[in-house]
Amino acid sequence: MYDLIIKNGKLVTPDRIFEATVAINDGKYAAIVAPGTELEAKEVIDARGNYVYPGIIDCHAHLNEPGFEYREDFETGSRAAAVAGCTTLIDMPLNNDPSLMNKEIFDLKMGKISKHSVVDYALWGGIVGDYNNEPGSVKNNMNDLVDLHNCGVAAFKGFTCPNGDLFPTVNMGNVRKALEILKPYNALCGFHCEEFGQVLEREKEAKAKEGRTNEEKIRDFLDAHDVWTELVATKNVLDMCRATGGRVHICHVSHPAVAEVVKQAIYEGLPVTAETCPHYLGYTEDFVFEKGAPAKCTPPMRTKADMEKMWDYVLDGTLSCIGSDHSPAADEEKDNDKDNEKPDEKPDDSLKGDIDVTSAESVAELVNSLLKESIFDKLDSVNDLVSGAGESIKISDIVGLTSSINVLADNFTVNGEKTDLLFRSVTFAESMGNAYQG
């Protein structure tokens, strides 16, 4: 007798979608059999007419613990993820205070978050560099990278754009050195790719202007983070990949031109992967003008034509996974009546643009919408979107693995209200005015 069977559902696998019954014992997949097969179980779920698919892995989330728990912590963030079918979160080394830069901070963070996460999780370790706008500054953590790898971090993350003292920006020397250090361990190094100088100078120019309207401020923000900042930084990081042979991951690709250089690097044989996010696949810069501060993120949303072209790179596998980039803020930090380019309340300037635009629940909304619209029929691998952050596994290899499973019911919705959404910051959800499908 099995502990649980899920019958009559449409099973989503890497190869196809088909009706099947899934049996689970001791928290592990025990059998996948044809519909109608007689099985006994302590509990039976009839998923007739609904999709059954693996738990979502959110490869890019900022849960803000330790240091900024007033925005989010692992309890609230993981509960929100669980209700949306996300069963694994991979948390970024920022926005934390202290940021995850060495073994001591790893132990500190684990001591806090391990007590109250309701889903499985892994951690990105930080790669921090020498930039902090002061001549001669040296803040890098190159000597701590191997220790962090030995702690068990899933990957490493660095920023190539102006980013504040809590998580100093990496220069290309730092990128190259980190890849050289971590290559023997086959460790993955991810990067937020926006070129430092372009962003810095354009921000300076914008702030020097007087009497700007809100619309002009938004235009300046978008221009300071235009595609050229992302494209130049991505090319630079890919060159360091060529120089070292180290594994590189390009985070939150927002523009098809960037996706194209990634695609060329993959065809070249470089050890490169890349991700995108739901907001780059479903929203445009028009949404930023409409909503203001709650819709600002970096890189920002692009034009409608750019958004539509991005789907080509999802469908051909160039962008092999989708992460939420969940990065919440307190409501007052996204107040359109305040100067949100650099709010006084924020101790870390790196947070000024990349806050609150998404949630872990948005990934589930995207996956569920794709299922309902049969867009998965066009994908080479269903798991690219559902569990693209993990290794794709064939259906014959599933039995015996720990079970992590979702049932998508058409009649279950989570409305964008404070009483229904479980993550702590709801500014963006309320501004959308849409229902999340869950």
Side-chain angles (χ1 to χ4, degrees), residues 176-197:
R176 183 169 185 168
K177 187 64 176 178
L179 290 172
E180 289 173 345
I181 290 170
L182 292 170
K183 181 185 176 183
Y185 302 92
N186 200 33
L188 184 68
C189 296
F191 296 96
H192 177 129
C193 289
E194 292 183 285
E195 198 270 319
F196 185 95

Side-chain angles (χ1 to χ4, degrees), residues 190-239:
F191 296 96
H192 177 129
C193 289
E194 292 183 285
E195 198 270 319
F196 185 95
Q198 292 184 68
V199 175
L200 185 67
E201 293 305 316
R202 288 195 154 202
E203 285 183 343
K204 287 180 181 178
E205 290 175 8
K207 290 171 185 176
K209 298 177 183 178
E210 295 183 357
R212 291 183 296 163
T213 65
N214 285 336
E215 186 169 293
E216 288 172 334
K217 288 181 179 180
I218 291 172
R219 183 72 268 165
D220 286 340
F221 166 78
L222 294 172
D223 289 346
H225 298 271
D226 68 9
V227 62
W228 294 105
T229 68
E230 188 178 358
L231 187 60
V232 169
T234 301
K235 287 181 176 180
N236 288 344
V237 168
L238 291 176
D239 279 342

Side-chain angles (χ1 to χ4, degrees), residues 268-332:
E268 184 183 331
L270 296 180
V272 176
T273 54
E275 71 187 46
T276 190
C277 306
H279 42 291
Y280 303 127
L281 300 172
Y283 293 94
T284 71
E285 63 179 25
D286 293 340
F287 191 64
V288 187
F289 283 105
E290 177 187 349
K291 300 298 182 182
K296 289 170 67 176
C297 63
T298 55
M301 289 169 257
R302 307 298 187 183
T303 67
K304 186 174 187 292
D306 296 332
M307 178 198 73
E308 291 174 345
K309 184 66 176 175
M310 282 287 288
W311 278 101
D312 292 345
Y313 296 94
V314 173
L315 296 174
D316 71 9
T318 299
L319 303 172
S320 57
C321 54
I322 293 177
S324 69
D325 201 2
H326 175 65
S327 189
D331 290 351
E332 61 270 18

